[in-house]
Amino acid sequence: MAVLTEPVTRERSALITATAFVVALSLRPALTAVGPVLPRIGLDLHLGEAAQGLLGTLPLLAFAVASPLVHLASRRFGMERAVFVSLLVLALSSALRPYTGQAGLWIGTAVVGAAIAIGNVLVPVIIKRDYAGNVSRATGVYTAFITSGAAIASILAVPIADAVDWRLSLAVWGGLAVVVAVIWLPRTLSPEPMPAARVEDGTPPVSVWRQPTAWLVTGFMGLQSTSFYLFVNWLPTIEISTGGVSERVTGVHLFLFQVFGLIGGLSIPFLLRHPTNQRAGLVTASTPILVALLGLLLAPQLALVWAVVGGLGQGAGLVAALSLISLRGRGHHETTQLSGMAQAIGYTLAAAGPVVAGYLTQVTGGWSTTLIVFAVLSATQVMIGFVAGRDNR
């Protein structure tokens, strides 16, 4: 009997551990469902284009504000319980915000962003703990689930709005968060180990804000996020303006950008598997972004190629950034603080990036200056990856 029970117990434990990937499915739909129906929201609630743009940026600002505070909730309640509460808050705010008027939409969107920030910060730390022997590959799977959830919500938003209305197309993702919370619940029932007073290498804890390596990790995460949101927000417009691509075709290119992001994210862990030196992986992940930006500048007629190359770089870059956070954090609490720091600054830059890009283009009358500026930022990311990925022994 014992021979049968042990494999069953092991299998159940593996399934519970894998629920971290299921949480990733719920971390983007509440955000990516907004863009496709944003014109309907603006028309119904009398929001101008500037207000609509701010509504799309608000979750990123909420990420920036909430991320550095997540470690406090983690220390107080434990990581599993903090994630569970964040899922319940995400479910409630997602369901209520479309039906509570303009004020409720704004407040609910901010709360949605803050709830997602908890998952953004803690789930990669949980993955580091649960998959300590294969952090980069597990992080690749995690980001694949994030991207899949985002893509599904983007595809379904308009059909749901057409069938019912835009309110249901936003609220329905609260139901997904409830399902994920139920799946996650078993992880909250067992007590978590008390945190150690020192980090894993035996040195006294030092604030991550005073560690040079933490700033390198943060710089890499911030620059990766900035270029990602430049592509997501402006790639179709850039292609139309510089390459003469039709609006319909730019939509296909943006879809391919996301698809090849999945491929890049699942491929890059092979180069990040070294336990102490990730230089090759970080540089390889960063270079395609630089190539894509220079390609859009110098050969815009090859827009499809640059969308594919940029997608590969963005998917690989996100996995590289999250893996770097896990690999450079010494102990769970320091990794949580590092994750909060990197994501706070990273999403602040991400929120500012599309705005700066639009301003530069408006002032200069074209996209050349903007592409040059962001290419310089991407080159900086390559250099930071070279330094941050060095042997950390």
Side-chain angles (χ1 to χ4, degrees):
M1 185 69 174
V3 175
L4 294 175
T5 302
E6 185 178 347
V8 171
T9 303
R10 243 193 332 260
E11 182 179 346
R12 180 176 180 274
S13 176
L15 287 173
I16 292 176
T17 301
T19 55
F21 302 125
V22 180
V23 172
L25 281 176
S26 66
L27 295 181
R28 289 298 179 272
L31 307 182
T32 58
V34 174
V37 297
L38 196 53
R40 305 187 193 205
I41 297 173
L43 184 63
D44 196 9
L45 298 181
H46 309 291
L47 298 178
E49 291 183 357
Q52 292 177 40
L54 180 58
L55 185 67
T57 305
L58 186 57
L60 299 181
L61 299 176
F63 290 174
V65 173
S67 293
L69 306 176
V70 171
H71 77 280
L72 300 176
S74 173
R75 293 177 73 104
R76 177 68 178 83
F77 302 107
M79 290 189 290
E80 266 80 2
R81 292 184 181 90
V83 170
F84 179 72
V85 172
S86 74
L87 288 169
L88 296 181
V89 173
L90 175 60
L92 186 61
S93 55
S94 296
L96 291 180
R97 64 171 173 164
Y99 298 104
T100 50
Q102 190 173 136
L105 180 67
W106 287 101
I107 295 171
T109 299
V111 174
V112 162
I116 292 173
I118 296 175
N120 284 344
V121 172
L122 291 183
V123 176
V125 180
I126 292 172
I127 287 175
K128 173 187 178 177
R129 183 196 65 197
D130 293 348
Y131 296 93
N134 212 336
V135 173
S136 297
R137 182 173 296 179
T139 302
V141 176
Y142 164 73
T143 57
F145 272 77
I146 286 183
T147 304
S148 298
I152 290 170
S154 298
I155 292 171
L156 295 180
V158 171
I160 294 174
D162 287 340
V164 185
D165 61 12
W166 66 265
R167 289 179 170 83
L168 182 63
S169 71
L170 298 188
V172 70
W173 304 109
L176 173 63
V178 171
V179 173
V180 173
V182 172
I183 295 172
W184 185 258
L185 182 60
R187 297 189 67 140
T188 69
L189 301 180
S190 58
E192 294 187 47
M194 292 298 292
R198 293 170 178 267
V199 292
E200 288 174 357
D201 65 0
T203 59
V206 178
S207 170
V208 293
W209 296 88
R210 294 163 53 192
Q211 297 180 26
T213 299
W215 282 102
L216 290 172
V217 173
T218 297
F220 189 90
M221 179 73 184
L223 292 172
Q224 180 275 326
S225 300
T226 302
S227 58
F228 172 77
Y229 282 98
L230 172 76
F231 276 95
V232 168
N233 284 276
W234 289 115
L235 180 60
T237 305
I238 293 171
E239 290 186 348
I240 292 170
S241 300
T242 63
V245 181
S246 70
E247 184 177 358
R248 182 181 296 273
V249 172
T250 63
V252 175
H253 289 183
L254 194 57
F255 173 75
L256 291 174
F257 174 83
Q258 299 282 5
V259 170
F260 278 89
L262 278 171
I263 296 172
L266 291 172
S267 302
I268 198 64
F270 177 77
L271 294 177
L272 295 169
R273 70 186 189 280
H274 192 282
T276 59
N277 190 328
Q278 294 78 40
R279 181 171 280 171
L282 295 180
V283 172
T284 301
S286 304
T287 302
I289 305 168
L290 174 60
V291 171
L293 289 167
L294 292 176
L296 288 170
L297 175 67
L298 301 174
Q301 69 275 13
L302 300 177
L304 173 60
V305 175
W306 311 132
V308 169
V309 172
L312 288 170
Q314 287 302 326
L318 177 58
V319 173
L322 294 176
S323 297
L324 190 61
I325 291 170
S326 296
L327 294 168
R328 291 296 181 266
R330 301 169 302 166
H332 301 321
H333 285 308
E334 183 175 277
T335 304
T336 303
Q337 292 180 351
L338 178 57
S339 182
M341 173 185 174
Q343 296 196 46
I345 296 178
Y347 285 118
T348 299
L349 292 173
V355 177
V356 171
Y359 175 78
L360 287 174
T361 302
Q362 182 178 335
V363 170
T364 61
W367 284 98
S368 296
T369 300
T370 301
L371 291 172
I372 290 172
V373 168
F374 279 82
V376 170
L377 293 177
S378 292
T380 304
Q381 179 185 330
V382 174
M383 291 186 288
I384 290 177
F386 184 81
V387 177
R390 67 190 184 282
D391 194 319
N392 64 351
R393 288 174 297 183

